Amino acid sequence: MAILLLTSASGAPGVTTTALGLALCWPRDVLLVDADPHPSHAVESGYLVAGTDAGAGLADLAGAHRAGTDLTAALWRQVIALPGIDGRPSPTARYLSGFGHPAQPALFTMIWPAIAASLAELGDAGVDVIVDLGRAGPDGPPAELCARAGAVGVVTRCGLRPLAGLAVNAEILETVASRTTATVGLVTVGAGRPYSAREISAQFRMPVLAEMVEDPRAAAVLSDGAPGPRGWASGRYAAGLRHSASRLAGLLAEAAKEVAL
């Protein structure tokens, strides 16, 4: 169960930026999967600045599934190495691009079970998986991914407006929790602005799995491919990513041990 799902219930709290930052700071081999049902190619047009051919990604897997070929092998052929912040390929982080058309997610209803199984195979082989699910629709994330997950993080900012949106969409959280035996918790962005992680956890009766620093300028390096400010790698934002990546990787490792027992 070395799969981490990241989603949000409302708004745009920065799921993709968070997922990408965690992948780049992950302490083990990791695959970042763009499974946002509202396709935008945010990583390709942002962090990669359209300078890397990310391939067909998930879209290619539908054809492989129809042809009855080895889906795990087909998936791995579509994977690219993510460049690190210094521009060199990351030794541990890889990326699978997402849907190329708004109609494609609806075609994956019958394919998700096989893809989820392939992602679980990667986990068994020592590659952790982070799945960027973007904003969840009213039906919640794919049940097959939820069932295979080791942890599910619901990303939210800490202001009144995003938390009100989270409360209004509480049924989505309940749907996610009903589909998995994994830990379902919150990933906060900007705790203390104005509500603390502890206050938010108590309000929603969910654990806080990780806390992200809110720093728009530093985050723009990931979201838009902006030049990194001096000392980016040693700043609070990057340090927060490394701490959260280590914590979440440990959570997945514990989940995998429990399954093995």
Side-chain angles (χ1 to χ4, degrees), residues 29-126:
D29 286 343
V30 65
L31 171 65
L32 173 61
V33 179
D34 177 4
D36 190 337
H38 312 282
S40 63
H41 283 176
V43 173
E44 291 90 322
S45 59
Y47 182 67
L48 298 179
V49 202
T52 301
D53 181 9
L58 280 179
D60 185 73
L61 300 187
H65 183 264
R66 286 194 299 270
T69 58
D70 185 329
L71 199 60
T72 302
L75 183 154
W76 203 245
R77 284 195 295 271
Q78 293 296 327
V79 164
I80 66 167
L82 278 171
I85 300 300
D86 58 3
R88 291 178 294 181
S90 168
T92 58
R94 295 172 176 81
Y95 175 65
L96 178 68
S97 66
F99 300 112
H101 190 278
Q104 287 179 348
L107 304 177
F108 267 63
T109 303
M110 303 300 294
I111 305 174
W112 279 125
I115 292 179
S118 292
L119 294 179
E121 284 185 20
L122 294 180
D124 293 339

Side-chain angles (χ1 to χ4, degrees), residues 126-142:
V127 179
D128 290 345
V129 179
I130 301 173
V131 183
D132 171 11
L133 290 167
R135 179 170 54 84
D139 296 330

Side-chain angles (χ1 to χ4, degrees), residues 118-198:
S118 292
L119 294 179
E121 284 185 20
L122 294 180
D124 293 339
V127 179
D128 290 345
V129 179
I130 301 173
V131 183
D132 171 11
L133 290 167
R135 179 170 54 84
D139 296 330
E144 296 81 10
L145 288 178
C146 290
R148 297 275 189 173
V152 182
V154 180
V155 183
T156 183
R157 294 188 185 274
C158 301
L160 179 59
R161 186 165 59 87
L163 293 177
L166 188 61
V168 168
N169 291 280
E171 289 185 1
I172 294 177
L173 303 184
E174 294 172 1
T175 297
V176 172
S178 70
R179 292 176 175 175
T180 183
T181 58
T183 300
V184 179
L186 299 168
V187 176
T188 60
V189 179
R193 299 188 177 186
Y195 300 103
S196 69
R198 180 177 296 181

Side-chain angles (χ1 to χ4, degrees), residues 230-255:
R230 181 174 296 180
W232 189 96
S234 59
R236 287 183 64 245
Y237 183 79
L241 283 172
R242 288 192 293 270
H243 176 76
S244 294
S246 178
R247 181 175 179 178
L248 290 166
L251 188 62
L252 291 190
E254 288 299 317

Side-chain angles (χ1 to χ4, degrees), residues 202-227:
Q203 175 65 32
F204 290 94
R205 298 180 181 179
M206 297 176 68
V208 173
L209 304 184
E211 298 180 44
M212 303 296 165
V213 174
E214 186 172 29
D215 184 336
R217 187 182 177 200
V221 174
L222 302 178
S223 62
D224 300 302

